Structures are given as structure tokens and as C-alpha cells.
Amino acid sequence: METITIVLNGKEISGRSGMTILELAREAGVEIPTLCHSPHVAPFGACRVCLVEDEARHALVASCVTPIAPGMTIRTDSPLVLETRRTVVELLLSSHPEACVLCDKGNACALRALAADLGIGDIDMDRIRRFSEIETANAFIERDLTKCIMCGLCVRACQEIQVIGAIDFAGRGFNARPATPFDMPLDKAACEYCGTCVTLCPVGALSEKTRQYRGTGLEQTPTVCSFCGSGCSIMLQTRDNRVMSVEPNEENSVNGASLCVRGHYGHDYIHNPERLTVPLIKENGSFKQASWDAALDLIAHRLTQIREQSGPDSIAVFGSFRCTNEENYLIQKFARAAVGTNNVSSSARMSTSPNIVGLTKAFGYPGATGTIADIEKSGVILCLGANPHESHPLIAQKIKRAARFHGAKLLLADPRQSRMTPFAHLWLRPAPGTDIALVNAMLRVIMDENLYDKDFVRERVDGLDKLLECARRYPPAYAAKVTGIPEEQILEAARIFAGADAACIIYGSGITHYPNATYSVLAIANLAMATGNIGRPGVGVYPLVKENNGQGACDMGVLPDYLPGYRKVSDPEARADLEKLWGVAPPAGDGLTGVEIISQAAAGGIRAIMNVGANPVAVFADSTTMKKALESLDFFVALDIFPTPTTNLAHVVLPVACFAEKDGTFTSAERRIQRVRKAVDPPGQSRAEWQVLSDLCRRMGLPAEYKSPADIMAEIARAAPIYAGVSYARLERQTLHWPCENADHAGSPVLYEHAFPHRDRAQFMKVEYLVPDEETDMNFPFSLITRSHLYHFGSGARTMHSKQLKEMFPECFLEIGAEDAEGLAVADGQRVKIVSRAGSMELPARITPGLPRSVVFVPVSMSAAEVNSLFSTQLDVVTRTPNRKMCAVQIERM
Amino acid sequence: MPVQTAPEAPGISQQALREIIAGFPRDQSSLIPLLQQVQEECGYIPRDAVDSVAGALGLFPSQVFGVITFYSQFYTAPRGRNVVRVCRGTACHVRGGKKILQLIQNELGIQDGETTADFRFSLETVACLGACALSPVMVVNHSYYGKMNPKKIAAVLSQYASR
Ligand code: SF4
Ligand code: SF4
Ligand code: SF4
Ligand code: FES
Ligand code: FES
């Protein structure tokens, strides 16, 4: 790259060609004020406060848009610059209301700061008033355009960063304003309340609705969002031990200046008064407050007693994606070393074990093969069984940016029309649960037409015969019949995918929650390998791990068949290594999975469950059976932050810290390990799970002297080879993608660049297509599909305790197409009863455009327990995880 | 621009929209001609059309709305099926243009910038219609009527009374 030298305030300084004067000045530590500039969006050059003087030409130029050129002599503080800047700011102030006292932006207002710096007090210009109503209709954002300085940052945030485009400039001259189409209120326009425009607005024109005139937080703590697996970095802004607001943490983060509505506005659950604050012990059917000592003694005593009576395998432990890596590590250590059982699982396992098995078999590591940022480098993106726009908004943002700004072709397989559909190059509408047939038929076309990457396959993959064998069974005409996708579209998708320089595959719970999940994952891996799309930025396979730490919980070995770092329980060497570390050997045989634990609980084989943060009643299929099973336990302990349908069944409930109240790490869906930091104290007597678990280990005779989570991470580094190089000292400065093999290893943002872990080669795998056995019939004519929802998450325990999110979407609903609704004579908003083979529930119907016939959708998080009661416990054939995606139902008017 | 809206505002069918859109290349340079054609068809740019046009050209509806509101030629509210434009230029003014405008306002019962309740007429004024030799001048849709006098007004308007 060419170097250009200029003179800046009398000093020679060099920069790279293409840099703007502003960028170079900032690099050199020279401050130039800006109002309309943000490094996250394209330069705009509208406000002119960044003017500098080019002395060689005697000209004033806007430094944010002017590239450096050889021979420039720039002054940022000449009298001419200061004088002009002053006039620019005075002009802005002349049409700005004098409402600083009442402005929520307060000291964060860039205009006010600039006026103060320039010593502008009163201005002697005629004031020009702008009139505009303050818009407050929605739950999140307030717009007062009288304060707008037309910097365009909101417009660029919405269009360029989020690719939502709810607003643009409308009108012209004095009437110009950032506006929604037809000046609709935000809640009627496409706005998704991500708040990115609010973050970037330099003045008080856009502000958060909740923060009204109460000032801003005094301290900031960088940490990680507690909702989805995207792993956005956030800043918790706190005052007086309260989180006042949440902002994106732009430094070193996957998300830059953006967040989604959950991350930005959904964390008010932290201070919800319904939080659990005291240990509770159930006596005669009702909860009594207890001391920590009494509760912990009781737990240690009862677990020890049950172990003596019925053996360690009569006890099971659940971990949770809500907990940190350190805590999940202690959860499995508690199970394996303190109790002595491999019966340890989590709800994260239900979504991720098809990935663990499938991706490990094919490639070697159970995780996304590349980074979220690199999705923007893909030329073709195949998105299957996922609605990232609701489940992983940040990932949707990257896909949309790739499609709109970098010319990527999005092959979108989704029966339902969504906000992703307008970005699709090809919108394929497979019948629910049939994606695997589509993928196999694409492979068939690619092999038949000789479009596969012969060099890659020869050099890096074994098992071509297996691939040919299963491709053979999927002629596109057959797949067209199974999936309902026209044959030409299957051919076209295959050709586009095979023709890409860089293609990636993104898939979600529409793959992993079906009974054929593992085979689907293998088929996806086959497709990536056959086309050579592994081992470079912008290619590969991205399983959308749902929860913030779903990846981490599995990495830590909260799995019945894997130890930390995915070493197999059945591997004697792995067990011996842990014995050295722990002083106690983990038991040899695989433990029971979550579903098996529950059925054993019902059958009496499991007598006690220690449940750290999971909410099985809400998230497992068939919640009625689940409830009965938990009720029949001799001893049930639940650790949680809120009372849930699960904690209600416990004998002992322990109140614990949420993510904002403890230190630790989360590992996101891109295998990125990030620091979680304590910003406020836990409420009441609640304690962090790692403290509770250490205490319990000690009470059960296992030494656990951890002074802080950093000590636990030091042990994790020794237990899990993929975390070997991870330490808090390093994580203070950076984030790390595992595998990170030692203290000098930089981590692995992209996997398999040079080799695969097993014998250096990847494996094509045999794949079966199984028809999901929840078939519709006369009595149950509709397929009900669960889906994620932008405003609610997981079991809903947290988002339904967020005042703002709940205000926006207070209640679960059924999405039904207009024709189906008409057939049932159901009106929009009318309550209906859904009946499945396993259960029933009532909820209002919403007539929704763009649904296939006879398929209805329910966003699961708002009434997770009721929705899951509709499902039977059909398990994935390979990993024994339950189907929680589709079931056949009848819909009745009420 | 103040407009009287009525429930039976003229719209455009999805079918008609699709046909119009099909006539243009699918890139952003089609935006203005496409909008012109939509407006030609139904007199203004309805909301539905903004969404379809945006979708077809890979733009956000807000961007299309931005363009519509930037150019004074586009209307976002329904206008009459016939647009009457009266000249306010200097030549017309000295020859009684103001009087002509007043009479037309009385005749139609609407002010400058408004639309009749039956969507038959919208009334606008223009700085100069470029036909000063014929002043005072009015234009209905694309037809020019020069050397206007009170008698002619009723005659001209009555020609459009059934459209
Ligand atoms: S909140 Fe997000 S979606 Fe809504 S206008 Fe702002 S940037 Fe756009
Ligand atoms: S609302 Fe804020 S961000 Fe948007 S143009 Fe106005 S001042 Fe800039
Ligand atoms: S995209 Fe996911 S991680 Fe990012 S703010 Fe939203 S919920 Fe949090
Ligand atoms: S920051 Fe350069 S013109 Fe606004
Ligand atoms: S002034 Fe009326 S046409 Fe020119």
C-alpha cells in the first residue's frame, strides 16, 4: 500500500493512501470535532464542523471526506478554521430549541459539547423554529425532530449497518427530515427498535424512552449480551448499583455500533422486582426462606444420602447456557467428581448435539467453521432452517449486508415469508422438515454436472463413495416431490452454489430441532466439502447456536458423553488426564441425556436432580410429562434468577446472579471466548453460581478453592485442550476463538485452513432422509412450527420480565395464513384452541401474509411451557435429542 | 400540500403495478421513470406502489419515499383525475390571470393545491406555463387553453366533467 506524507499542524506525518484527513489525524492523536461522522458508516460530509485548512491551497476542506494527498499542509486549529467552525455551530444552534435542560442526551450531546468548547453561549442570530411533534408512540424510542441537525447518522445506521431502512431523508430544503415512508410512526414502519440510530444520533433528537431526564450512567462495564449466540459486546452503564442503559461496545466487538432490540432494550430484566433474592426450602408444600448455610447443608446432606442409598447414577445435574463457562465447567465437575456421575446435560445440548456429532464426524470440531464478520465475504449464502432475522439479528445483518452491498447471492430456504425474503436471490420454500432432501439433491446435481471441487476433494476429503451413494438416491425430481420446491429451482440453487468463489451455509433450529437433525447436519457438511467451501474466510458451515453461551456450555463438557473440550467420556486417556487434575477420576460410562434423565426420573431410576439455571419444564418437549417426572423426584434443587415453572417444583431454590452481576466468560456461536464482567451487585442474598457450586463441592468433600473465575479458567485451560491458551490476562486485551492451543497461539477464527484434526482429512458421511413421523392427517390437519421471535428469547423467563419487550409483545400468538383462517372462519385477533396428539393450548390468531397453506407458526418464547406441551418426545435418531420444531395440530374456534 | 381525502381514493391494482414494473429494467436508474409512470396511471403514488417499487428495485420503501418527496412533481396523496393548472406568471397576471384563478376556485369549490371530494379535479398554480402569447393561460391535464375569459372557463371545465 502506498504511503502518503502530509504536514499536519506543522509536523510531517504519513498515512496510507485512501485515508481521510480525519482518520490520519485521529491516528496521530489530533482531535477534530465531528457531528455527522462515524467510522461504522460511509462518510457524509454534511455538518462541516470538521473543516480544516489546507494551507497550500488556502482552502477549507471537510476532513471526514477529504482523502490525504501528497503535499498537503493541514491546520486543524488556524483562526480561519476556528472562526468558520464557530459560525457553523452558531447556525446549527439558531434552529435548535433551547431545551438542553430537558434533553435526555445531557452531557452526551455532541452539539452542546462543541458549543461549550468553542465558548458559544448566547447566539445573536434570529432563531428559526422547527416544528415537529415528539413521537412517543412506541415502547423504546422517542423522536423529537426539532432537535435534528440533519447529520444523517440515523439514516446511515438504519440503511448501512442494520440494512433495515425504516428511515431515509424525505422532503427538501427547510422541510427535509429523516422520515419513515409517509411519515408513519416508527411502530407502523419497518423499524425493529434496534436503537442503532439512537446510539449514533449526536444530539437529543433520538433518545431512549426509558431514560427520560434521569441522566446517564456514571460508570461503564464492558461485557457480553445475555441473549443470543451472536455474542455482541455491550457496555452496561450503571449508577448507584443499577444498570441505567445498555450501549454497544464498539471496541474489538463483533457488532460495532449496533445491537438488536433485545440486547439494547431487553436487559431491564436485571432489576425486575420479581428476581429471586433469598434461598427457599419447601416445607409441607410451601416455600420458607432459609439461610444459605441451611440450604447448602441440606443439599449436600440429601445428595450424599441418595448417593449412598442408590448410587451416584441416581443423581443428575443440569447446566445452562445462561451460566458462564466457568460455572458450566464447575457444573460438570460437580457431577463427575463430587457426585460421581456422567448424568450431566443442558438444554443447549438439545439444540447443539446434532452439531456436535455431525460436525465432529465430518470435520473434527463441533462449531462454526468461520467468523460472523466473514459472512460478508461470501459470494453465495445458503440459509436453511433458520430465521436469523429473529433468532440472531446480528447474523441477519451480516447476511443482508453481503446481499445488498457486496453482491452476494442469498439462497434462502424458508417456507415462511420473512424480512429476509426481500434479500433473497432465490427463495426456496421447502415443506417443513424436508431441507435435507434439498441439500442432497443439490449435491446430486453438483456431482452429475461435474461441478464439484475435484482438487479439494482429492487432497482433503475421504469417503467420496459415501457421497456418491447418497447423492444417487436424490434425483432433483424426487427432491422436488418431497420438498415441494420446483425442480428448476433446485437445479439453479445447486449451480449457483457450486459456481461461487466463496460460499457458506447458515442453518438454525429448523435443522437441529427435527428428528433427522444429525443427518441434516452431515448433508450440509457434505455440500460444503464437495464444493471446496471449507478453510477460508467467507466459506464454511455456520450452525446458529441459539443461546449466548450454548456453545460454551457444551465446550465445558456439560454433556453426558463428552468431557471438557469434547474429549469423549469413553476415552480412557481423557479420563486419566482429568483424574490427574481433579484428584478424582470421572466415571467411565456415558451418562443419560436430558430426555433420558427425565424419563428415568419418572421411572424411579433418577431420584435427585440438581438443576443449575435450566428451565426444563418450559423448554423440553411434552412439558406435562416433564412436570410429573420432576414432581416424583425425591430431591430437586433449582438455581435460578426468576421463579419459573421449574423452580416451583423444587425442594430447594437458590437465588443466583445474572450475567451482569458476576465475572466469567461466554463463548459465542463463532467459537469466540469473551469476558463477562460484573457491573452491579446481585440482588438480595443471591450469589453467583460459581460460588455456590464451589461451596457445594467442598461440602461434598471435593476441594474447590477458587478465589475468582480466573482461577477456574486456569483449570479449564488444563482440562480442555481447545481452551489451553486461554487466560483472563489475555482476555482482558482481546477475544479468542477456540481452538487456542497455548499461550502464544492467536486462536482460530477460521477452522481447517491447513488441516483437519483427524488424520488431517475431512470425511464425507452417509446420510439418511427420514420422514418426520409427526405427519398431519384428517384429525390433525395443520403442521405447527415453532419459531424464534425478535422480541422474546429462550424460555421467555428473562424477556417476559423485561418491561419494554413485554409491552411490545405481551402475549404468544398463532400465525395463520389468510386462506386457512378463512377456512376455519377465524378472524384476526380471535382466540383459538390448538390441539395436538400430546396436548392443547389457547391463544389468539394473527392472520399473517406469506405463510404456506396448512402450516401455522408459533413464536415459542412467549409461552414456552404451553407450546412445548404440544410436542411429543420424538428423538433424533442419532443423538437422542427431542423434536421441538414441528407437530401436527387441529385448530378450533373458541 | 393540503388534500381532501375521501374513502374511495383512487388506487392502483397489484396487477397494474406488476405490469408497469415489468416494463422497466430492475435497477435503480428506473426509479424516477417508474414513479412517473405510476403517477401517470393513478395521479399520485400510493403506499402500496412505494413498497412494490422498492421491492422490485432493491431499495427500501423509505428511500423511495425520500425521492418522491424530494421532487415536487410527485404526489403522495390522491389527486383528481384531471389536473387544472392556472398560470400566475407576469404576462398572465397583467391580463387578469388572478381573476381567472378566482373564478376557477369558485367553480370547483377548492383552493390552490386541493382536490375535489369526487377526485374529479385538482387545482394547482404555476409560475409560467411558457405560453405567454396566449395569456391568460390554463392547462387541463396536457391541453392548453389560452386567452381565457370567464365564459370559457365553464366551457373548458365542462369538457372534463364526465371524466
Ligand atoms: S431503531 Fe433501528 S430499525 Fe428503527 S429506525 Fe433506528 S436504526 Fe432503523
Ligand atoms: S435524528 Fe439525529 S441522527 Fe438523525 S439526522 Fe437528526 S441529528 Fe442526525
Ligand atoms: S444480536 Fe444477539 S447478541 Fe446481539 S444484541 Fe441481539 S440478542 Fe444480543
Ligand atoms: S463530520 Fe465532516 S462534515 Fe460532518
Ligand atoms: S406568464 Fe402565463 S404562460 Fe407565461
Side-chain angles (χ1 to χ4, degrees):
Chain A
M1 178 147 311
E2 200 193 333
T3 307
I4 292 175
T5 304
I6 68 167
V7 178
L8 182 71
N9 291 349
K11 273 195 218 121
E12 280 209 350
I13 166 163
S14 308
R16 300 172 296 280
S17 91
M19 269 180 127
T20 60
I21 299 169
L22 178 69
E23 283 165 342
L24 183 59
R26 292 213 163 147
E27 243 183 48
V30 174
E31 199 36 56
I32 301 175
T34 60
L35 284 176
C36 71
H37 175 81
S38 158
H40 303 286
V41 291
F44 197 49
C47 74
R48 315 316 275 182
V49 306
C50 69
L51 291 178
V52 293
E53 188 175 351
D54 184 351
E55 289 180 321
R57 294 192 296 131
H58 272 287
L60 287 173
V61 294
S63 61
C64 70
V65 287
T66 311
I68 51 171
M72 271 183 169
T73 314
I74 300 295
R75 284 230 76 100
T76 64
D77 54 1
S78 68
L80 179 63
V81 168
L82 293 180
E83 189 46 42
T84 316
R85 185 176 296 152
R86 201 185 157 85
T87 310
V88 167
V89 173
E90 283 178 346
L91 278 168
L92 283 172
L93 288 171
S94 76
S95 57
H96 202 78
E98 298 158 294
C100 289
V101 185
L102 286 178
C103 183
D104 197 42
K105 208 76 175 191
N107 289 334
C109 175
L111 182 60
R112 195 165 119 180
L114 200 51
D117 285 350
L118 293 167
I120 303 174
D122 212 10
I123 49 167
D124 48 7
M125 284 188 218
D126 281 340
R127 295 194 149 267
I128 313 165
R129 303 238 168 258
R130 297 173 61 118
F131 292 100
S132 170
E133 269 172 57
I134 299 180
E135 185 193 325
T136 56
N138 66 78
F140 306 99
I141 294 171
E142 192 172 288
R143 291 206 302 169
D144 177 1
L145 293 186
T146 58
K147 296 179 189 158
C148 175
I149 58 167
M150 294 292 287
C151 70
L153 280 169
C154 56
V155 168
R156 284 172 287 155
C158 196
Q159 298 190 356
E160 292 176 25
I161 300 180
Q162 293 289 10
V163 208
I164 293 168
I167 47 176
D168 197 348
F169 282 118
R172 62 171 165 180
F174 198 64
N175 188 29
R177 68 220 176 258
T180 59
F182 299 91
D183 295 295
M184 288 183 282
L186 284 176
D187 56 328
K188 300 279 180 314
C191 178
E192 297 175 11
Y193 301 110
C194 66
T196 310
C197 55
V198 183
T199 299
L200 291 191
C201 180
V203 294
L206 301 177
S207 55
E208 284 172 17
K209 214 174 156 189
T210 48
R211 231 172 32 171
Q212 302 295 332
Y213 319 127
R214 284 192 288 137
T216 40
L218 291 180
E219 277 154 32
Q220 323 204 72
T221 307
T223 185
V224 183
C225 176
S226 69
F227 294 113
C228 86
S230 302
C232 294
S233 295
I234 58 175
M235 278 288 184
L236 294 179
Q237 311 206 310
T238 52
R239 200 170 70 178
D240 303 334
N241 210 20
R242 274 187 85 82
V243 175
M244 306 291 287
S245 62
V246 177
E247 284 298 328
N249 177 8
E250 301 176 24
E251 220 160 288
N252 220 337
S253 72
V254 64
N255 50 303
S258 75
L259 288 176
C260 79
V261 63
R262 292 191 298 251
H264 215 153
Y265 302 127
H267 281 118
D268 54 342
Y269 75 80
I270 297 170
H271 299 299
N272 189 298
E274 284 173 38
R275 285 281 301 271
L276 292 166
T277 55
V278 206
L280 301 169
I281 296 179
K282 201 179 261 169
E283 283 169 27
N284 304 324
S286 65
F287 284 118
K288 299 260 165 10
Q289 300 196 348
S291 71
W292 273 100
D293 268 335
L296 293 174
D297 277 342
L298 177 66
I299 297 168
H301 168 72
R302 290 289 283 139
L303 292 182
T304 311
Q305 195 181 40
I306 291 171
R307 181 177 57 188
E308 272 161 20
Q309 292 163 351
S310 312
D313 288 334
S314 63
I315 300 173
V317 183
F318 283 123
S320 165
F321 54 80
R322 206 174 47 59
C323 296
T324 61
N325 287 324
E326 292 72 8
E327 290 166 342
N328 275 296
Y329 175 80
L330 287 189
I331 287 165
Q332 61 84 38
K333 185 174 176 183
F334 176 79
R336 294 189 162 114
V339 176
T341 178
N342 281 318
N343 294 339
V344 54
S345 197
S346 77
S347 56
R349 180 188 181 276
M350 295 197 303
S351 328
T352 36
S353 54
N355 295 327
I356 298 175
V357 174
L359 297 179
T360 310
K361 274 190 178 163
F363 306 129
Y365 291 121
T369 66
T371 66
I372 293 173
D374 281 350
I375 293 172
E376 283 192 48
K377 298 187 182 140
S378 300
V380 171
I381 300 169
L382 173 61
C383 183
L384 288 162
N387 191 0
H389 150 263
E390 311 251 7
S391 66
H392 296 71
L394 179 81
I395 291 176
Q397 177 198 110
K398 301 293 175 200
I399 299 174
K400 291 189 286 182
R401 280 172 57 93
R404 180 132 305 172
F405 304 124
H406 308 304
K409 290 181 176 154
L410 172 62
L411 308 177
L412 183 66
D414 186 355
R416 187 171 171 276
Q417 188 182 338
S418 75
R419 293 222 170 155
M420 296 303 286
T421 340
F423 297 89
H425 178 79
L426 197 57
W427 178 26
L428 311 164
R429 304 185 79 179
T434 64
D435 307 63
I436 190 173
L438 165 68
V439 173
N440 278 331
M442 285 172 67
L443 271 167
R444 162 82 182 236
V445 178
I446 288 168
M447 300 317 286
D448 277 1
E449 299 187 1
N450 223 355
L451 302 174
Y452 72 103
D453 187 335
K454 284 158 221 82
D455 294 340
F456 184 89
V457 168
R458 182 168 8 87
E459 284 159 25
R460 305 199 58 185
V461 198
D462 289 332
L464 187 60
D465 49 321
K466 287 189 200 142
L467 178 74
L468 290 169
E469 156 72 22
C470 68
R472 196 179 50 76
R473 283 180 289 130
Y474 289 90
Y478 166 70
K481 224 169 71 210
V482 174
T483 60
I485 301 170
E487 194 179 334
E488 323 76 74
Q489 286 188 2
I490 298 178
L491 295 173
E492 193 184 347
R495 289 172 191 147
I496 291 175
F497 193 87
D501 289 333
C504 69
I505 310 173
I506 297 173
Y507 66 92
S509 59
I511 297 290
T512 50
H513 284 182
Y514 279 108
N516 51 18
T518 309
Y519 285 132
S520 302
V521 172
L522 290 172
I524 287 167
N526 283 350
L527 180 59
M529 287 184 283
T531 50
N533 281 306
I534 288 291
R536 287 168 285 132
V539 306
V541 170
Y542 291 84
L544 295 181
V545 180
K546 247 199 182 129
E547 303 90 358
N548 59 329
N549 202 31
Q551 180 77 46
C554 295
D555 294 351
M556 292 304 110
V558 179
L559 297 165
D561 40 357
Y562 290 92
L563 302 169
Y566 304 103
R567 303 185 80 189
K568 286 216 167 87
V569 164
S570 55
D571 172 2
E573 203 182 312
R575 290 201 311 275
D577 286 348
L578 280 186
E579 183 177 0
K580 261 184 246 147
L581 190 60
W582 292 350
V584 181
D590 285 356
L592 303 175
T593 67
V595 176
E596 290 164 345
I597 289 170
I598 297 307
S599 55
Q600 278 304 307
I606 292 285
R607 291 183 54 202
I609 294 181
M610 163 99 175
N611 173 37
V612 189
N615 188 358
V617 175
V619 301
F620 278 44
D622 196 359
S623 44
T624 329
T625 318
M626 160 70 62
K627 249 193 190 141
K628 273 200 209 111
L630 293 179
E631 272 161 0
S632 69
L633 288 170
D634 288 332
F635 192 56
F636 181 35
V637 185
L639 284 70
D640 216 318
I641 60 173
F642 285 113
T644 68
T646 305
T647 59
N648 288 341
L649 303 176
H651 298 104
V652 182
V653 178
L654 300 179
V656 289
C658 79
F659 82 108
E661 297 151 356
K662 60 193 176 190
D663 286 301
T665 56
F666 288 156
T667 303
S668 74
E670 54 173 353
R671 294 172 287 103
R672 180 172 166 122
I673 306 158
Q674 310 193 84
R675 270 287 266 121
V676 173
R677 292 183 182 84
K678 180 176 171 182
V680 290
D681 293 328
Q685 300 178 23
S686 46
R687 294 181 183 171
E689 284 95 326
W690 68 269
Q691 290 168 316
V692 180
L693 287 158
S694 312
D695 200 331
L696 273 174
C697 282
R698 288 192 297 267
R699 279 171 209 248
M700 298 207 32
L702 184 74
E705 305 305 330
Y706 305 107
K707 281 192 288 302
S708 74
D711 291 351
I712 308 174
M713 182 51 85
E715 186 173 319
I716 295 171
R718 296 171 63 196
I722 54 176
Y723 279 66
V726 180
S727 67
Y728 273 38
R730 292 186 79 183
L731 291 176
E732 215 42 61
R733 300 184 304 269
Q734 64 182 126
T735 61
L736 290 165
H737 296 260
W738 66 252
C740 177
E741 286 153 15
N742 55 55
D744 301 320
H745 188 243
S748 316
V750 177
L751 289 179
Y752 321 122
E753 280 179 300
H754 309 294
F756 293 94
H758 304 320
R759 291 169 288 140
D760 286 352
R761 293 173 72 81
Q763 312 290 322
F764 283 121
M765 303 297 299
K766 212 174 126 221
V767 172
E768 308 282 345
Y769 170 69
L770 306 163
V771 186
D773 76 358
E774 268 284 340
E775 295 262 38
T776 53
D777 61 21
M778 291 269 288
N779 297 327
F780 300 98
F782 291 93
S783 296
L784 172 118
I785 300 193
T786 58
R787 70 168 183 91
S788 347
H789 195 259
L790 177 59
Y791 296 83
H792 286 285
F793 197 74
S795 71
R798 289 169 297 159
T799 51
M800 288 303 261
H801 282 105
S802 155
K803 191 170 157 277
Q804 285 175 283
L805 295 179
K806 192 163 177 192
E807 182 180 331
M808 186 78 187
F809 281 97
E811 188 186 26
C812 191
F813 51 86
L814 175 80
E815 292 178 325
I816 183 166
E819 288 176 346
D820 286 335
E822 203 180 314
L824 295 164
V826 167
D828 193 40
Q830 191 176 343
R831 288 190 82 80
V832 294
K833 182 171 181 182
I834 340 181
V835 185
S836 75
R837 294 187 178 101
S840 72
M841 76 180 286
E842 294 172 12
L843 74 186
R846 277 201 187 184
I847 297 180
T848 308
L851 302 189
R853 281 304 294 269
S854 304
V855 182
V856 293
F857 290 80
V858 171
V860 69
S861 298
M862 288 132 119
S863 293
E866 287 87 341
V867 175
N868 283 316
S869 73
L870 299 171
F871 284 76
S872 64
T873 32
Q874 189 194 0
L875 301 183
D876 174 66
V877 284
V878 180
T879 60
R880 299 168 290 159
T881 50
N883 160 30
R884 290 183 293 157
K885 198 66 193 172
M886 176 168 69
C887 76
V889 296
Q890 171 63 289
I891 298 167
E892 292 163 10
R893 283 179 60 183
M894 300 190 42
Chain B
M1 191 168 295
V3 190
Q4 299 169 353
T5 29
E8 68 279 19
I12 187 163
S13 72
Q14 284 299 319
Q15 180 58 30
L17 259 178
R18 268 196 297 274
E19 278 165 21
I20 295 176
I21 289 170
F24 291 87
R26 296 224 161 185
D27 62 60
Q28 298 176 6
S29 62
S30 300
L31 179 58
I32 295 200
L34 221 167
L35 290 172
Q36 283 166 335
Q37 174 107 43
V38 171
Q39 181 152 301
E40 187 68 27
E41 203 71 23
C42 71
Y44 75 113
I45 317 278
R47 281 188 196 197
D48 284 2
V50 169
D51 288 344
S52 312
V53 169
L57 303 185
L59 292 165
F60 300 115
S62 61
Q63 292 176 300
V64 174
F65 181 70
V67 168
I68 294 172
T69 51
F70 187 82
Y71 293 101
S72 56
Q73 57 169 305
F74 293 120
Y75 300 88
T76 54
R79 290 199 307 153
R81 293 183 291 282
N82 305 295
V83 179
V84 179
R85 288 184 294 169
V86 180
C87 184
R88 266 182 158 165
T90 322
C92 294
H93 183 78
V94 298
R95 292 202 187 157
K98 199 169 173 200
K99 189 89 198 150
I100 301 293
L101 176 61
Q102 246 162 28
L103 287 168
I104 295 177
Q105 285 175 339
N106 293 347
E107 185 83 13
L108 297 177
I110 51 174
Q111 298 298 303
D112 177 18
E114 293 182 350
T115 298
T116 57
D118 60 2
F119 291 103
R120 183 149 288 140
F121 290 107
S122 290
L123 180 60
E124 287 169 12
T125 57
V126 190
C128 171
L129 284 163
C132 310
L134 296 175
S135 57
V137 181
M138 72 183 273
V139 171
V140 182
N141 301 337
H142 299 294
S143 313
Y144 280 71
Y145 301 92
K147 299 214 158 56
M148 292 302 296
N149 58 46
K151 251 221 209 102
K152 263 172 106 176
I153 290 174
V156 170
L157 291 179
S158 67
Q159 291 176 35
Y160 296 90
S162 55
R163 290 195 215 163

